[in-house]
Amino acid sequence: MPAKELIKILSIDGGGIRGIIPSMVLAEIERQTERPACELFDLIAGTSIGGIIALGITVPDGKKKQPRWRAQDLVEMHIKEGPKIFHRSLLRTIETVDGLLVQKYSPSGLKAALKRYMGEARLPEALADVLITSYDIHEHEPFFFKSFQPRARAASPSPPPPPSDYPMRVVARATSAAPTYFPPERVPLAPPAAGGGTPGEGPTGGGSPDYVLVDGGTFANNPAMCAYAEARRNHPEADVLIVSLGTGRLTDSISYGEARHWGLVQWARPLLGVIMDGSSAAIDYQLDELLGADVNHFRFQAELKGVSDSLDDASASNIKGLSELAQRTIKENAARLAAVCKRL
């Protein structure tokens, strides 16, 4: 009896500057296997910074069928670009009331970094199948960017949608538009032709026909279950192996005494972290039950001890702390990482 097909999935959580942790773990996987991630996995899924990493490791190097960047390059991206992306003047801090009235950051630093790392590459050019999450606040529904055309559903008369033919930098901006941190991204219903204008140009008023997209972490900070569902749709008879990389689990407690009198203003910032952390842990539990922990579901997640759990703390000291935490995570999970690399 022939062996079953094995679909290998890489899933990367959202988490802002904490994305340096999964970048370093992935760099270790690439080091041990001596192969780029885009050759190791059949499907790569990402949310927010995880989406940026997923796109970064699948950007082609011009016309060559090889990646422009390796995971280690994206570790350096966090160090180099993080302080620019999460930079604001004292005046902006005052004007926005620390992000309570207007988003904390201008998107200009993020857009410039995405342009540098992704250029004009388009999503269907990705060197592996890529699934990137976002959320359409105009239609109130999840939105998935796919570099591939999914399999038709037997019960649906409609053909499956074609690949999402948008520039990678636009996809990356949409998945990382975290509420209160960055403004939403306007993306046209019909992708612009290569070399065309900027998505969302022109007046829209209140009846915008465009997608209005925010961070996929609002519903799938851990996109592993979305990726699993996609694999089941396209390869219903195959076995599935998932390598899931987290950006750190929150450790700072919120006491009853603190939270019992909180209103909208006090909940505005911690609520996003609670939602993202809780949803990630729930997906972890579900996939352990479906696939078996360390059988076909390998989750690498660190506890954020001794470092800031903020999405935007790009200070040199915190980046150093996150890097050291990632190194400890790699060391403490050496046997599990070796087992994963052998499977890949």
Side-chain angles (χ1 to χ4, degrees):
M1 187 174 182
K4 272 191 173 185
E5 179 185 17
L6 178 64
I7 300 301
K8 294 172 286 186
I9 295 173
L10 172 64
S11 174
I12 312 172
D13 287 17
I17 196 64
R18 291 163 18 208
I20 196 170
I21 298 172
S23 295
M24 291 181 66
V25 174
L26 187 57
E28 177 63 15
I29 291 173
E30 288 190 336
R31 187 192 69 80
Q32 289 192 29
T33 60
E34 299 182 333
R35 294 172 64 191
C38 63
E39 294 180 4
L40 296 172
F41 297 95
D42 302 295
L43 175 62
I44 301 177
T47 290
S48 196
I49 185 59
I52 292 174
I53 296 168
L55 293 164
I57 57 177
T58 57
V59 176
D61 187 6
K63 298 296 182 181
K64 303 174 186 176
K65 292 295 182 182
Q66 61 187 39
R68 185 182 304 177
W69 310 107
R70 300 292 287 264
Q72 184 59 44
D73 297 314
L74 301 185
V75 173
E76 299 302 320
M77 177 191 74
H78 285 79
I79 298 170
K80 180 179 178 181
E81 305 289 349
K84 300 175 187 177
I85 292 170
F86 297 114
H87 171 76
R88 56 186 172 145
S89 65
L90 176 60
L91 177 61
R92 184 173 180 86
T93 303
I94 295 170
E95 289 176 339
T96 65
V97 192
D98 199 25
L100 292 177
L101 296 182
V102 183
Q103 67 274 358
K104 289 179 73 173
Y105 301 101
S106 163
S108 59
L110 176 58
K111 287 184 174 182
L114 297 176
K115 176 75 172 178
R116 281 192 287 273
Y117 278 80
M118 299 175 191
E120 297 303 322
R122 301 180 78 84
L123 188 58
E125 299 173 26
L127 297 176
D129 285 353
V130 174
L131 174 70
I132 305 295
T133 66
S134 192
Y135 187 84
D136 186 355
I137 58 174
H138 187 262
E139 296 296 328
H140 295 286
E141 61 183 15
F143 188 93
F144 299 97
F145 291 98
K146 301 176 184 180
S147 68
F148 54 92
Q149 184 165 19
R151 180 176 176 171
R153 292 190 175 97
S156 175
S158 303
S164 305
D165 192 9
Y166 293 96
M168 284 187 171
R169 57 184 170 79
V170 171
V171 177
R173 169 71 179 90
T175 190
S176 58
T180 76
Y181 290 89
F182 296 106
E185 179 76 350
R186 265 174 47 193
V187 176
L189 298 178
T198 302
E201 284 183 343
T204 60
S208 169
D210 298 341
Y211 301 115
V212 185
L213 303 179
V214 298
D215 197 309
T218 53
F219 76 97
N221 197 56
N222 177 350
M225 185 61 79
C226 299
Y228 177 72
E230 198 66 42
R232 279 278 164 253
R233 174 180 179 178
N234 297 315
H235 307 274
E237 303 301 322
D239 286 332
V240 175
L241 170 67
I242 297 179
V243 178
S244 178
L245 306 181
T247 57
R249 188 168 67 83
L250 303 183
T251 57
D252 288 344
S253 299
I254 301 173
S255 70
Y256 173 74
E258 289 178 290
R260 69 192 184 102
H261 295 304
W262 279 5
L264 182 61
V265 172
Q266 292 92 341
W267 270 113
R269 191 73 66 207
L271 184 59
L272 185 61
V274 169
I275 291 171
M276 294 168 68
D277 204 49
S279 67
S280 292
I283 296 304
D284 185 17
Y285 165 77
Q286 291 161 1
L287 286 172
D288 274 353
E289 294 300 315
L290 284 169
L291 299 176
D294 289 354
V295 179
N296 279 336
H297 177 232
F298 288 82
R299 173 73 166 168
F300 295 91
Q301 177 73 304
E303 288 193 353
L304 295 170
K305 293 181 177 179
V307 295
S308 170
D309 61 14
S310 297
L311 304 179
D312 59 342
D313 186 349
S315 63
S317 60
N318 193 52
I319 289 176
K320 181 175 182 290
L322 291 169
S323 300
E324 291 171 350
L325 176 59
Q327 290 167 351
R328 289 197 301 273
T329 301
I330 291 168
K331 184 177 181 180
E332 291 167 2
N333 290 274
R336 298 176 66 237
L337 279 168
V340 163
C341 291
K342 186 175 181 179
R343 294 283 299 279
L344 295 175

